Amino acid sequence: TFCAQCHGKYHDGNGTVGQSFFPLPTDLRSPKVQSLPHGVLFKEISYGVPKGRQPPLAPTIAVMDRWQIITYVKSLGFRN
């Protein structure tokens, strides 16, 4: 619901809203994202990314749901 708009159906950063961004949203299967510790992902999802386009989602997504998003993102693995 919240992620696909920017990160895309295939998690590659090619969502419809994200196409207007420069740089494009991050590919969630990239080594950059997949190598981040769970706590860093939680912080970035919750409070946004300074000087980035990731909005703070803490007011919108419940704490447990944010942890589930992180588990899902990590389950994607690296893009080949």
Side-chain angles (χ1 to χ4, degrees):
T1 301
F2 299 98
C3 307
Q5 304 302 316
C6 295
H7 292 284
K9 180 178 178 180
Y10 302 106
H11 324 294
D12 55 6
N14 290 314
T16 50
V17 173
Q19 292 304 294
S20 64
F21 298 163
F22 181 81
L24 290 174
T26 304
D27 182 334
L28 297 178
R29 292 181 61 187
S30 70
K32 175 184 174 185
V33 172
Q34 290 296 311
S35 65
L36 289 173
H38 288 70
V40 171
L41 287 171
F42 184 83
K43 181 179 175 189
E44 290 184 354
I45 291 168
S46 298
Y47 306 110
V49 177
K51 298 181 183 178
R53 297 218 179 250
Q54 174 64 46
L57 295 173
T60 310
I61 303 174
V63 171
M64 290 306 297
D65 292 338
R66 282 180 264 152
W67 283 115
Q68 289 177 338
I69 290 168
I70 292 162
T71 300
Y72 176 73
V73 168
K74 288 293 195 167
S75 78
L76 297 172
F78 291 101
R79 186 170 300 278
N80 295 325

